[in-house]
Amino acid sequence: MALSWWRLELPCPPELEDSLTWKLNGLGIHRVALQHRPEAPEQRQLVAWLPAADWPAAERNQLPAALAPLAATFGLELAPLAWREQADEDWSLSWKQHWQPDPVGQRLLILPAWLELPPEHADRLVIRMDPGSAFGTGSHPTTRLCLEAIEQLQTLPGARVADLGCGSGILGIAALLQGARSVAAADTDSLAVRATRDNAAVSGFSQQLQVELGSVERLAELLDGRPADLLLCNILAPVIEALSPAFASVLAPDGLGLLSGLLVDQAPRLQAVLAEQGWRAELTAQQSQWGLMTLRRADVA
Ligand SMILES: C[S@@+](CC[C@H](N)C(=O)[O-])C[C@H]1O[C@@H](n2cnc3c(N)ncnc32)[C@H](O)[C@@H]1O
């Protein structure tokens, strides 16, 4: 019998994209997409596919209660979950239909691994991704903020890069495409580690990009006592804060950090915490309510 799928649809306010995706991942739901609508970025929709055999009604009925607290944290209420059954042969097609070539900034193009490079984007640097296995398909504002900032760096050629919370590996791969010498990456999610490895291989960067399961300590080990020139870290503000005491072990004194995953109104607190540790953090860009910060040693001009 062909396996059938439940397709879940849920309108997704931007501030819930991360937490909902992570929560679903934590519940074993990994086929999650955010419908990308460049013309109306505030009205995105989360779509997830669940094997019907694993998700009987009793299990599905528990999902709203599992997800509601995430919305409550932001004073929001989730819309009702919409379910539709889908035959096996339809789901992979429907899953893939959500991903289109996606230009970012002036020079980059995120291209689903199964698509040909469209001629109109032939002059762009192509990040080939197999979306879905880990966070970081490039559609999230925080990923885009980082990609746009990486694109503007003059100091990338030859740089050694540390990618903390690498997700799909997208940021490190973008840095390599623009001349970085090497990337050391770490993520606490084993699916992310696998996705980063796979995506690096698809782009021909298996030698230049090393990735391991773990957090900042593992990253410091990978760097072998030589902190990087550029630190990329797109994780939620409280996690960045918790990891920050170890930043000096992964970022050289004259290096630059790009931090995202923070909401703009979380910036002042994070800046204060980082200042206490001798860092100068500046909010340099934002998209909807998400911010991007640069990070430098306070005593370096
Ligand atoms: C918002 S995603 C960013 C992914 C990718 N770097 C991007 O910019 O699209 C954050 C990633 O950080 C990972 N993560 C969360 N907490 C972490 C920690 N303490 N140390 C390392 N990685 C962590 C998550 O598993 C997730 O893959």
Side-chain angles (χ1 to χ4, degrees), residues 146-175:
C146 292
L147 290 171
E148 287 167 11
I150 291 170
E151 183 177 87
Q152 284 164 25
L153 292 178
Q154 308 291 323
T155 49
L156 258 187
R160 293 170 64 249
V161 178
D163 187 355
L164 180 55
C166 54
S168 62
I170 189 167
L171 302 183
I173 292 169

PDB file of all heavy atoms in Angstrom, residues 146-175:
ATOM      1  N   CYS A 146      22.366  37.678   7.124  1.00  0.00           N
ATOM      2  CA  CYS A 146      23.764  37.214   7.190  1.00  0.00           C
ATOM      3  C   CYS A 146      24.357  37.125   5.785  1.00  0.00           C
ATOM      4  O   CYS A 146      25.486  37.554   5.550  1.00  0.00           O
ATOM      5  CB  CYS A 146      23.849  35.841   7.862  1.00  0.00           C
ATOM      6  SG  CYS A 146      23.440  35.860   9.603  1.00  0.00           S
ATOM      7  N   LEU A 147      23.595  36.557   4.847  1.00  0.00           N
ATOM      8  CA  LEU A 147      24.120  36.397   3.482  1.00  0.00           C
ATOM      9  C   LEU A 147      24.442  37.763   2.875  1.00  0.00           C
ATOM     10  O   LEU A 147      25.466  37.947   2.222  1.00  0.00           O
ATOM     11  CB  LEU A 147      23.108  35.651   2.602  1.00  0.00           C
ATOM     12  CG  LEU A 147      22.914  34.176   2.926  1.00  0.00           C
ATOM     13  CD1 LEU A 147      21.732  33.611   2.127  1.00  0.00           C
ATOM     14  CD2 LEU A 147      24.178  33.374   2.633  1.00  0.00           C
ATOM     15  N   GLU A 148      23.546  38.728   3.103  1.00  0.00           N
ATOM     16  CA  GLU A 148      23.781  40.069   2.536  1.00  0.00           C
ATOM     17  C   GLU A 148      24.995  40.725   3.167  1.00  0.00           C
ATOM     18  O   GLU A 148      25.757  41.429   2.510  1.00  0.00           O
ATOM     19  CB  GLU A 148      22.519  40.920   2.697  1.00  0.00           C
ATOM     20  CG  GLU A 148      21.428  40.465   1.737  1.00  0.00           C
ATOM     21  CD  GLU A 148      20.043  41.029   2.039  1.00  0.00           C
ATOM     22  OE1 GLU A 148      19.936  41.955   2.870  1.00  0.00           O
ATOM     23  OE2 GLU A 148      19.068  40.529   1.463  1.00  0.00           O
ATOM     24  N   ALA A 149      25.195  40.481   4.469  1.00  0.00           N
ATOM     25  CA  ALA A 149      26.364  41.060   5.143  1.00  0.00           C
ATOM     26  C   ALA A 149      27.650  40.380   4.664  1.00  0.00           C
ATOM     27  O   ALA A 149      28.664  41.038   4.429  1.00  0.00           O
ATOM     28  CB  ALA A 149      26.213  40.918   6.652  1.00  0.00           C
ATOM     29  N   ILE A 150      27.598  39.065   4.484  1.00  0.00           N
ATOM     30  CA  ILE A 150      28.788  38.325   3.999  1.00  0.00           C
ATOM     31  C   ILE A 150      29.181  38.858   2.618  1.00  0.00           C
ATOM     32  O   ILE A 150      30.348  39.061   2.314  1.00  0.00           O
ATOM     33  CB  ILE A 150      28.482  36.810   3.934  1.00  0.00           C
ATOM     34  CG1 ILE A 150      28.327  36.234   5.334  1.00  0.00           C
ATOM     35  CG2 ILE A 150      29.569  36.057   3.168  1.00  0.00           C
ATOM     36  CD1 ILE A 150      27.794  34.808   5.356  1.00  0.00           C
ATOM     37  N   GLU A 151      28.159  39.109   1.809  1.00  0.00           N
ATOM     38  CA  GLU A 151      28.404  39.568   0.443  1.00  0.00           C
ATOM     39  C   GLU A 151      29.153  40.904   0.406  1.00  0.00           C
ATOM     40  O   GLU A 151      29.912  41.187  -0.510  1.00  0.00           O
ATOM     41  CB  GLU A 151      27.044  39.721  -0.250  1.00  0.00           C
ATOM     42  CG  GLU A 151      27.115  40.107  -1.675  1.00  0.00           C
ATOM     43  CD  GLU A 151      25.722  40.159  -2.293  1.00  0.00           C
ATOM     44  OE1 GLU A 151      25.069  41.212  -2.215  1.00  0.00           O
ATOM     45  OE2 GLU A 151      25.293  39.138  -2.840  1.00  0.00           O
ATOM     46  N   GLN A 152      28.930  41.704   1.451  1.00  0.00           N
ATOM     47  CA  GLN A 152      29.556  43.039   1.437  1.00  0.00           C
ATOM     48  C   GLN A 152      30.951  43.064   2.055  1.00  0.00           C
ATOM     49  O   GLN A 152      31.608  44.094   2.059  1.00  0.00           O
ATOM     50  CB  GLN A 152      28.653  44.012   2.191  1.00  0.00           C
ATOM     51  CG  GLN A 152      27.441  44.401   1.362  1.00  0.00           C
ATOM     52  CD  GLN A 152      26.352  45.044   2.196  1.00  0.00           C
ATOM     53  OE1 GLN A 152      26.631  45.602   3.245  1.00  0.00           O
ATOM     54  NE2 GLN A 152      25.129  44.940   1.735  1.00  0.00           N
ATOM     55  N   LEU A 153      31.405  41.931   2.592  1.00  0.00           N
ATOM     56  CA  LEU A 153      32.710  41.932   3.264  1.00  0.00           C
ATOM     57  C   LEU A 153      33.845  42.051   2.254  1.00  0.00           C
ATOM     58  O   LEU A 153      33.892  41.299   1.282  1.00  0.00           O
ATOM     59  CB  LEU A 153      32.891  40.634   4.065  1.00  0.00           C
ATOM     60  CG  LEU A 153      31.996  40.444   5.280  1.00  0.00           C
ATOM     61  CD1 LEU A 153      32.285  39.088   5.914  1.00  0.00           C
ATOM     62  CD2 LEU A 153      32.225  41.567   6.284  1.00  0.00           C
ATOM     63  N   GLN A 154      34.757  42.959   2.513  1.00  0.00           N
ATOM     64  CA  GLN A 154      35.939  43.103   1.654  1.00  0.00           C
ATOM     65  C   GLN A 154      37.027  42.110   2.069  1.00  0.00           C
ATOM     66  O   GLN A 154      37.966  41.857   1.322  1.00  0.00           O
ATOM     67  CB  GLN A 154      36.533  44.520   1.787  1.00  0.00           C
ATOM     68  CG  GLN A 154      35.534  45.644   1.583  1.00  0.00           C
ATOM     69  CD  GLN A 154      35.059  45.729   0.147  1.00  0.00           C
ATOM     70  OE1 GLN A 154      35.829  45.505  -0.775  1.00  0.00           O
ATOM     71  NE2 GLN A 154      33.782  46.008  -0.044  1.00  0.00           N
ATOM     72  N   THR A 155      36.911  41.614   3.299  1.00  0.00           N
ATOM     73  CA  THR A 155      38.014  40.866   3.907  1.00  0.00           C
ATOM     74  C   THR A 155      37.876  39.347   3.740  1.00  0.00           C
ATOM     75  O   THR A 155      38.639  38.596   4.319  1.00  0.00           O
ATOM     76  CB  THR A 155      38.050  41.166   5.419  1.00  0.00           C
ATOM     77  OG1 THR A 155      36.719  40.989   5.921  1.00  0.00           O
ATOM     78  CG2 THR A 155      38.516  42.586   5.689  1.00  0.00           C
ATOM     79  N   LEU A 156      36.922  38.899   2.924  1.00  0.00           N
ATOM     80  CA  LEU A 156      36.679  37.453   2.843  1.00  0.00           C
ATOM     81  C   LEU A 156      37.786  36.641   2.158  1.00  0.00           C
ATOM     82  O   LEU A 156      38.130  35.552   2.643  1.00  0.00           O
ATOM     83  CB  LEU A 156      35.369  37.179   2.115  1.00  0.00           C
ATOM     84  CG  LEU A 156      34.160  36.826   2.965  1.00  0.00           C
ATOM     85  CD1 LEU A 156      33.013  36.421   2.068  1.00  0.00           C
ATOM     86  CD2 LEU A 156      34.460  35.725   3.957  1.00  0.00           C
ATOM     87  N   PRO A 157      38.354  37.143   1.050  1.00  0.00           N
ATOM     88  CA  PRO A 157      39.326  36.287   0.366  1.00  0.00           C
ATOM     89  C   PRO A 157      40.446  35.833   1.312  1.00  0.00           C
ATOM     90  O   PRO A 157      41.086  36.640   1.984  1.00  0.00           O
ATOM     91  CB  PRO A 157      39.853  37.184  -0.756  1.00  0.00           C
ATOM     92  CG  PRO A 157      38.703  38.099  -1.046  1.00  0.00           C
ATOM     93  CD  PRO A 157      38.075  38.370   0.292  1.00  0.00           C
ATOM     94  N   GLY A 158      40.613  34.529   1.399  1.00  0.00           N
ATOM     95  CA  GLY A 158      41.660  33.961   2.251  1.00  0.00           C
ATOM     96  C   GLY A 158      41.278  33.815   3.717  1.00  0.00           C
ATOM     97  O   GLY A 158      42.054  33.285   4.517  1.00  0.00           O
ATOM     98  N   ALA A 159      40.072  34.272   4.083  1.00  0.00           N
ATOM     99  CA  ALA A 159      39.710  34.269   5.511  1.00  0.00           C
ATOM    100  C   ALA A 159      39.408  32.861   6.016  1.00  0.00           C
ATOM    101  O   ALA A 159      38.924  32.004   5.281  1.00  0.00           O
ATOM    102  CB  ALA A 159      38.487  35.159   5.727  1.00  0.00           C
ATOM    103  N   ARG A 160      39.708  32.663   7.312  1.00  0.00           N
ATOM    104  CA  ARG A 160      39.271  31.438   7.992  1.00  0.00           C
ATOM    105  C   ARG A 160      37.979  31.763   8.734  1.00  0.00           C
ATOM    106  O   ARG A 160      37.907  32.737   9.473  1.00  0.00           O
ATOM    107  CB  ARG A 160      40.353  30.957   8.954  1.00  0.00           C
ATOM    108  CG  ARG A 160      41.613  30.491   8.223  1.00  0.00           C
ATOM    109  CD  ARG A 160      42.752  30.243   9.190  1.00  0.00           C
ATOM    110  NE  ARG A 160      42.483  29.161  10.114  1.00  0.00           N
ATOM    111  CZ  ARG A 160      42.283  29.325  11.412  1.00  0.00           C
ATOM    112  NH1 ARG A 160      42.314  30.511  11.958  1.00  0.00           N
ATOM    113  NH2 ARG A 160      42.044  28.278  12.178  1.00  0.00           N
ATOM    114  N   VAL A 161      36.963  30.942   8.519  1.00  0.00           N
ATOM    115  CA  VAL A 161      35.616  31.267   8.979  1.00  0.00           C
ATOM    116  C   VAL A 161      35.143  30.223   9.995  1.00  0.00           C
ATOM    117  O   VAL A 161      35.387  29.020   9.812  1.00  0.00           O
ATOM    118  CB  VAL A 161      34.639  31.305   7.773  1.00  0.00           C
ATOM    119  CG1 VAL A 161      33.220  31.594   8.226  1.00  0.00           C
ATOM    120  CG2 VAL A 161      35.098  32.333   6.742  1.00  0.00           C
ATOM    121  N   ALA A 162      34.465  30.693  11.036  1.00  0.00           N
ATOM    122  CA  ALA A 162      33.812  29.792  11.998  1.00  0.00           C
ATOM    123  C   ALA A 162      32.310  29.981  11.873  1.00  0.00           C
ATOM    124  O   ALA A 162      31.828  31.114  11.918  1.00  0.00           O
ATOM    125  CB  ALA A 162      34.268  30.126  13.417  1.00  0.00           C
ATOM    126  N   ASP A 163      31.580  28.892  11.670  1.00  0.00           N
ATOM    127  CA  ASP A 163      30.124  28.953  11.490  1.00  0.00           C
ATOM    128  C   ASP A 163      29.475  28.195  12.646  1.00  0.00           C
ATOM    129  O   ASP A 163      29.448  26.969  12.667  1.00  0.00           O
ATOM    130  CB  ASP A 163      29.778  28.326  10.123  1.00  0.00           C
ATOM    131  CG  ASP A 163      28.298  28.482   9.763  1.00  0.00           C
ATOM    132  OD1 ASP A 163      27.528  28.985  10.594  1.00  0.00           O
ATOM    133  OD2 ASP A 163      27.938  28.086   8.634  1.00  0.00           O
ATOM    134  N   LEU A 164      28.970  28.974  13.611  1.00  0.00           N
ATOM    135  CA  LEU A 164      28.408  28.368  14.828  1.00  0.00           C
ATOM    136  C   LEU A 164      26.890  28.285  14.682  1.00  0.00           C
ATOM    137  O   LEU A 164      26.223  29.296  14.526  1.00  0.00           O
ATOM    138  CB  LEU A 164      28.804  29.242  16.028  1.00  0.00           C
ATOM    139  CG  LEU A 164      28.335  28.803  17.409  1.00  0.00           C
ATOM    140  CD1 LEU A 164      28.751  27.385  17.728  1.00  0.00           C
ATOM    141  CD2 LEU A 164      28.881  29.758  18.474  1.00  0.00           C
ATOM    142  N   GLY A 165      26.346  27.059  14.755  1.00  0.00           N
ATOM    143  CA  GLY A 165      24.918  26.856  14.482  1.00  0.00           C
ATOM    144  C   GLY A 165      24.702  26.886  12.981  1.00  0.00           C
ATOM    145  O   GLY A 165      23.918  27.670  12.451  1.00  0.00           O
ATOM    146  N   CYS A 166      25.414  26.004  12.289  1.00  0.00           N
ATOM    147  CA  CYS A 166      25.516  26.115  10.816  1.00  0.00           C
ATOM    148  C   CYS A 166      24.233  25.722  10.092  1.00  0.00           C
ATOM    149  O   CYS A 166      24.060  26.074   8.929  1.00  0.00           O
ATOM    150  CB  CYS A 166      26.694  25.287  10.305  1.00  0.00           C
ATOM    151  SG  CYS A 166      26.651  23.557  10.831  1.00  0.00           S
ATOM    152  N   GLY A 167      23.306  24.996  10.739  1.00  0.00           N
ATOM    153  CA  GLY A 167      22.065  24.609  10.055  1.00  0.00           C
ATOM    154  C   GLY A 167      22.368  23.819   8.792  1.00  0.00           C
ATOM    155  O   GLY A 167      23.002  22.766   8.823  1.00  0.00           O
ATOM    156  N   SER A 168      21.949  24.342   7.662  1.00  0.00           N
ATOM    157  CA  SER A 168      22.192  23.676   6.379  1.00  0.00           C
ATOM    158  C   SER A 168      23.600  23.927   5.847  1.00  0.00           C
ATOM    159  O   SER A 168      23.961  23.398   4.796  1.00  0.00           O
ATOM    160  CB  SER A 168      21.200  24.217   5.355  1.00  0.00           C
ATOM    161  OG  SER A 168      21.435  25.610   5.189  1.00  0.00           O
ATOM    162  N   GLY A 169      24.361  24.797   6.536  1.00  0.00           N
ATOM    163  CA  GLY A 169      25.715  25.132   6.061  1.00  0.00           C
ATOM    164  C   GLY A 169      25.734  26.310   5.110  1.00  0.00           C
ATOM    165  O   GLY A 169      26.780  26.685   4.578  1.00  0.00           O
ATOM    166  N   ILE A 170      24.578  26.921   4.924  1.00  0.00           N
ATOM    167  CA  ILE A 170      24.424  27.936   3.872  1.00  0.00           C
ATOM    168  C   ILE A 170      25.381  29.113   4.024  1.00  0.00           C
ATOM    169  O   ILE A 170      25.924  29.608   3.034  1.00  0.00           O
ATOM    170  CB  ILE A 170      22.944  28.407   3.815  1.00  0.00           C
ATOM    171  CG1 ILE A 170      22.692  29.297   2.611  1.00  0.00           C
ATOM    172  CG2 ILE A 170      22.519  29.116   5.087  1.00  0.00           C
ATOM    173  CD1 ILE A 170      21.206  29.532   2.336  1.00  0.00           C
ATOM    174  N   LEU A 171      25.621  29.563   5.264  1.00  0.00           N
ATOM    175  CA  LEU A 171      26.455  30.765   5.445  1.00  0.00           C
ATOM    176  C   LEU A 171      27.919  30.447   5.134  1.00  0.00           C
ATOM    177  O   LEU A 171      28.610  31.216   4.460  1.00  0.00           O
ATOM    178  CB  LEU A 171      26.318  31.294   6.878  1.00  0.00           C
ATOM    179  CG  LEU A 171      24.898  31.651   7.326  1.00  0.00           C
ATOM    180  CD1 LEU A 171      24.925  32.230   8.738  1.00  0.00           C
ATOM    181  CD2 LEU A 171      24.254  32.637   6.366  1.00  0.00           C
ATOM    182  N   GLY A 172      28.384  29.304   5.630  1.00  0.00           N
ATOM    183  CA  GLY A 172      29.771  28.922   5.360  1.00  0.00           C
ATOM    184  C   GLY A 172      30.009  28.706   3.872  1.00  0.00           C
ATOM    185  O   GLY A 172      31.043  29.103   3.325  1.00  0.00           O
ATOM    186  N   ILE A 173      29.030  28.090   3.217  1.00  0.00           N
ATOM    187  CA  ILE A 173      29.166  27.843   1.772  1.00  0.00           C
ATOM    188  C   ILE A 173      29.197  29.178   1.025  1.00  0.00           C
ATOM    189  O   ILE A 173      30.008  29.374   0.112  1.00  0.00           O
ATOM    190  CB  ILE A 173      28.025  26.923   1.278  1.00  0.00           C
ATOM    191  CG1 ILE A 173      28.213  25.527   1.885  1.00  0.00           C
ATOM    192  CG2 ILE A 173      27.986  26.854  -0.247  1.00  0.00           C
ATOM    193  CD1 ILE A 173      27.038  24.592   1.698  1.00  0.00           C
ATOM    194  N   ALA A 174      28.359  30.126   1.454  1.00  0.00           N
ATOM    195  CA  ALA A 174      28.377  31.456   0.815  1.00  0.00           C
ATOM    196  C   ALA A 174      29.746  32.107   0.997  1.00  0.00           C
ATOM    197  O   ALA A 174      30.269  32.738   0.078  1.00  0.00           O
ATOM    198  CB  ALA A 174      27.281  32.341   1.411  1.00  0.00           C
ATOM    199  N   ALA A 175      30.334  31.955   2.182  1.00  0.00           N
ATOM    200  CA  ALA A 175      31.660  32.548   2.431  1.00  0.00           C
ATOM    201  C   ALA A 175      32.715  31.897   1.532  1.00  0.00           C
ATOM    202  O   ALA A 175      33.562  32.584   0.957  1.00  0.00           O
ATOM    203  CB  ALA A 175      32.027  32.386   3.906  1.00  0.00           C
TER     204      ALA A 175
END
